[in-house]
Amino acid sequence: MKIINRVHFVFLTLFLTTLVFAEEPVLVKEFVGQIVYVQGKVLQLAEAVPQSAYEWRPEEGVRSVSEVYLHFAFANYLTVTVTGGTVPKETGFEMDFSKAHAWDTQTTDKTVIMEKVSASFETLKERVGMLTEEDLNREVEVFGMTMTIRNFMITMIAHTHEHLGQSIAYARTNHVTPPWSKSGE
């Protein structure tokens, strides 16, 4: 009788251990949470900014409003690609830094930009949600450096927040109050 109980205990322990290790890594949960937050703010802001301001830039040689929004999509697809995912062909995205400017300047149409940005965030969340602890520890070459996917993701969430701040400053300069500021958030 004790042998059967021990066998059951071992199998139960192995089963529970498998469940624990099969869980989504903490960094993945937290990254997706940050992406959901930024996505909400970016899309609210993109909607609030009038089409007439999409070509505004603070000075020559600096990204315009539309270019910053499209840059979110480029960075999202870059993250998908670097982490081993695939970007849908119909997006037109190519993992080529020399084409980043062409990507960012492809259109100034607010509706098209919002669709592209929204789709990129959805693709990013889907891809990142598949990452395992093993994936996070894998090293990749990006930005001329070797880093783990974990480190790359931390870098990219900082990058995303940086451009959210830039978008807020651009909106306010164009006399657009971020919608969440109007409601007291």
Side-chain angles (χ1 to χ4, degrees), residues 54-113:
Y54 267 59
E55 292 184 48
W56 180 88
R57 68 182 74 244
E59 62 184 55
E60 193 58 40
V62 178
R63 283 187 181 104
S64 68
V65 170
S66 64
E67 291 166 3
V68 172
Y69 290 134
L70 286 167
H71 187 70
F72 278 105
F74 184 89
N76 289 344
Y77 289 143
L78 169 74
T79 302
V80 168
T81 304
V82 168
T83 60
T86 305
V87 175
K89 281 201 178 287
E90 64 270 12
T91 66
F93 175 81
E94 293 181 54
M95 181 60 192
D96 182 345
F97 287 113
S98 70
K99 295 183 180 179
H101 180 72
W103 173 272
D104 291 353
T105 59
Q106 64 184 287
T107 185
T108 59
D109 184 287
K110 176 179 175 172
T111 303
V112 172
I113 290 169

Side-chain angles (χ1 to χ4, degrees), residues 101-181:
H101 180 72
W103 173 272
D104 291 353
T105 59
Q106 64 184 287
T107 185
T108 59
D109 184 287
K110 176 179 175 172
T111 303
V112 172
I113 290 169
M114 288 186 65
E115 289 170 358
K116 287 179 176 292
V117 172
S118 183
S120 75
F121 275 114
E122 294 307 317
T123 301
L124 176 61
K125 290 184 297 189
E126 182 181 329
R127 170 59 192 151
V128 169
M130 294 183 215
L131 295 175
T132 64
E133 199 64 44
E134 184 179 335
D135 293 328
L136 295 174
N137 294 325
R138 187 169 42 89
E139 289 190 340
V140 292
E141 288 285 327
V142 65
F143 309 132
M145 300 178 282
T146 301
M147 62 179 76
T148 63
I149 287 180
R150 178 186 319 282
N151 187 2
F152 172 72
M153 288 174 60
I154 292 167
T155 301
M156 293 311 289
I157 201 64
H159 177 263
T160 301
H161 279 279
E162 172 189 346
H163 288 295
L164 172 58
Q166 180 183 18
S167 297
I168 292 167
Y170 278 22
R172 288 195 180 275
T173 301
N174 282 281
H175 309 288
V176 175
T177 302
W180 60 89
S181 290

Side-chain angles (χ1 to χ4, degrees), residues 8-22:
H8 285 117
F9 176 76
V10 168
F11 281 119
L12 181 59
T13 301
L14 288 172
F15 175 74
L16 292 175
T17 301
T18 302
L19 286 179
V20 168
F21 287 111

